[in-house]
Amino acid sequence: MAELGMDLNRFILEEERRYPNATGSLSLALMAIESAAKIIAAHVRMAGLADILGQSGNRNVHGEEVQRLDLFSNDLMVRHLSDSGQFFALASEEMEEVLFPEKGRNGKYIIAFDPLDGSSNIDVNVNVGTIFSIHKKVKGTVEDFLVEGSAQIASGYILYGTSTIFVYTTGNGVNGFTLDPSVGLFLLSHPDIKIPKKGKIYSINESNYHNWDQRLQRYVDNLKAKGYTSRYAGAMVADVHRVLIKGGVFAYPADTKNQKGKLRLIYEASPMSFIIEQAGGKATTGNEEILKIKPSHIHEKTPVFLGSRDDIEELLLTMRGEVT
Ligand code: P6P
C-alpha cells in the first residue's frame, strides 16, 4: 500500500512492478508528462511577471483566441512527449492535425492532451489545468485516436491552483500527488480517491440556462430547491476536481447555441470521465456513457454530465422524463 508522501516516480515504478510483463514504457510516458507539468506549473505561477500574459494574436482550430501561455504549454508538452520516445502520435487541442514525432516511431502509445485547459482564466489568476489521455498505438494512424474512451490505458490531469496537483489513473483507481516546490517532487497527498456517492454542489454555466433543454432546466431548478450550492470556475479541470473531491455534478450540456456542447471528447471529456468512473462516479452525455462513444474526428465535441453516482442517476431520470 502506498504511503502518504510517496513521490510520484516511486509510485509509478511500484505500479509497474505489479505487471511482470511491463516494459517500463508507460512509466517513462507518465514521467515525461510529469516533467512537462512541473515546468508549466513554474510558468503558470510566474504568469503575472513573466510578460507572457495576454493574447498571442493566434486562434486555435475552434477559432478561440489562444493565450501565449497556451502556445508555450503546448510546445513544452510536444517537446517532452516527443523526446520520451514513448508516443507514436500526439493530438492536442492546440494542433489541428495529429503529430507523429520522429523519436516516437517505436512508441507503444499515443496521447491526446489539452495543454492548458481554461486558458481564459490565465490573465485573472484563476485555476487552469492540463489534461491527458493515453491509448495504445494500434494501426499507427489517426484512427488510433478514434476509439472508445473505455480503451484508455491511462488518463489524468494537472490542476494549477493554490497548489499544483497531479491526478491520474491507469485503470486501478485514482491517486493525487501534490507538488512540493521546495524539492520539485509530486508527493502522494490523495491516495485511492473515491467520489462521494452524492454531493451538494452543481457546476454549470447558468448563463446558458435559457438555451437548455427544459428537462435540464427542471433538474437544475430541483437542485436549487434541495439546497445545492453552485460553484463554477470556467476551467473543466478545476470544476471536475472539486466534484471528484466533494461530490455533486459537473455539466457542460448541449444547447441551442452548441448542438454538441463545447467540450472536446478525446482530450477533455473522455480522460476526465475515466477518472470520475475509476473513482466510483458516472459520466454521460445524457443519452449514452461518454466512455462508450467512438469519435469520428479528433476535435469532436460532446455534451458532458459527470459526478456522483446518485446525482447523475437522478439527472438521467429527469432527462428521460421519469422524474418531474
Ligand atoms: P464557458 C475552457 O475554455 C473550457 O474549454 C473548459 O475548461 C470549461 O469547462 C469550459 O470551456 C468553460 O466554458 O462557456 O462556461 O466559459
Side-chain angles (χ1 to χ4, degrees):
M1 176 68 186
E3 75 274 0
L4 276 181
M6 176 188 279
D7 82 272
L8 176 56
N9 285 358
R10 199 172 125 227
F11 183 93
I12 291 169
L13 292 173
E14 300 229 341
E15 264 222 313
E16 177 191 320
R17 266 206 283 276
R18 291 166 51 187
Y19 300 89
N21 301 327
T23 63
S25 177
L26 181 59
S27 297
L28 288 171
L30 291 167
M31 291 174 189
I33 298 166
E34 177 195 1
S35 303
K38 288 177 185 174
I39 299 169
I40 294 172
H43 282 81
V44 166
R45 245 195 330 272
M46 295 279 290
L49 304 173
D51 188 34
I52 50 178
L53 280 179
Q55 311 304 323
S56 63
N58 299 335
R59 289 186 175 277
N60 67 17
V61 292
H62 315 286
E64 293 164 344
E65 186 64 48
V66 177
Q67 300 272 355
R68 286 171 61 190
L69 201 50
D70 267 359
L71 286 177
F72 170 83
S73 303
N74 190 64
D75 293 349
L76 195 82
M77 286 287 282
V78 168
R79 193 166 353 114
H80 280 252
L81 300 177
S82 302
D83 289 351
S84 76
Q86 306 311 312
F87 297 104
F88 185 82
L90 316 178
S92 165
E93 181 191 37
E94 301 304 344
M95 301 190 303
E96 195 156 351
E97 304 298 333
V98 169
L99 187 68
F100 298 92
E102 180 55 34
K103 292 181 182 174
R105 58 186 177 285
N106 298 317
K108 287 171 57 179
Y109 299 108
I110 63 172
I111 185 166
F113 58 93
D114 184 351
L116 209 64
D117 169 70
S119 54
S120 56
N121 285 344
I122 296 168
D123 281 340
V124 292
N125 205 24
V126 174
N127 296 3
V128 290
T130 298
I131 310 172
F132 64 89
S133 168
I134 298 176
H135 280 276
K136 266 200 176 308
K137 172 212 167 190
V138 179
K139 300 178 182 169
T141 69
V142 177
E143 280 180 55
D144 287 349
F145 287 100
L146 307 181
V147 296
E148 288 184 11
S150 55
Q152 287 176 97
I153 299 296
S155 81
Y157 59 84
I158 299 91
L159 174 58
Y160 311 103
T162 44
S163 57
T164 299
I165 187 167
F166 188 115
V167 176
Y168 84 103
T169 181
T170 58
N172 298 296
V174 180
N175 291 279
F177 300 78
T178 299
L179 182 64
D180 177 344
S182 67
V183 292
L185 292 176
F186 280 105
L187 304 178
L188 182 63
S189 53
H190 296 71
D192 194 23
I193 301 174
K194 293 297 176 207
I195 187 170
K197 197 163 174 295
K198 192 169 179 56
K200 292 291 281 181
I201 297 173
Y202 69 97
S203 186
I204 189 169
N205 185 338
E206 289 197 71
S207 70
N208 298 320
Y209 182 91
H210 296 295
N211 302 323
W212 295 343
D213 175 291
Q214 65 179 3
R215 288 173 173 169
L216 177 59
Q217 291 175 338
R218 189 176 312 128
Y219 173 72
V220 173
D221 293 344
N222 289 343
L223 293 183
K224 293 181 183 178
K226 288 189 290 187
Y228 275 55
T229 191
S230 168
R231 291 284 183 274
Y232 193 71
M236 185 186 196
V237 176
D239 289 320
V240 173
H241 184 68
R242 183 192 306 107
V243 163
L244 176 69
I245 301 301
K246 293 186 177 282
V249 58
F250 167 81
Y252 206 105
D255 61 28
T256 51
K257 207 172 53 173
N258 298 298
Q259 303 295 328
K260 289 204 74 178
K262 174 184 181 185
L263 300 179
R264 278 58 69 138
L265 178 57
I266 71 163
Y267 44 75
E268 288 176 318
S270 186
M272 299 307 264
S273 296
F274 191 31
I275 290 275
I276 289 291
E277 297 219 349
Q278 279 289 310
K282 281 178 80 81
T284 176
T285 64
N287 296 310
E288 60 183 315
E289 291 177 47
I290 287 176
L291 293 181
K292 292 275 185 283
I293 304 173
K294 196 172 181 306
S296 53
H297 64 87
I298 62 169
H299 297 297
E300 179 171 319
K301 297 181 181 181
T302 179
V304 176
F305 300 90
L306 56 79
S308 296
R309 185 164 290 278
D310 289 1
D311 287 301
I312 296 299
E313 279 166 4
E314 186 175 331
L315 168 97
L316 288 170
L317 291 173
T318 310
M319 298 295 275
R320 291 173 191 146
E322 293 166 32
V323 165
T324 56

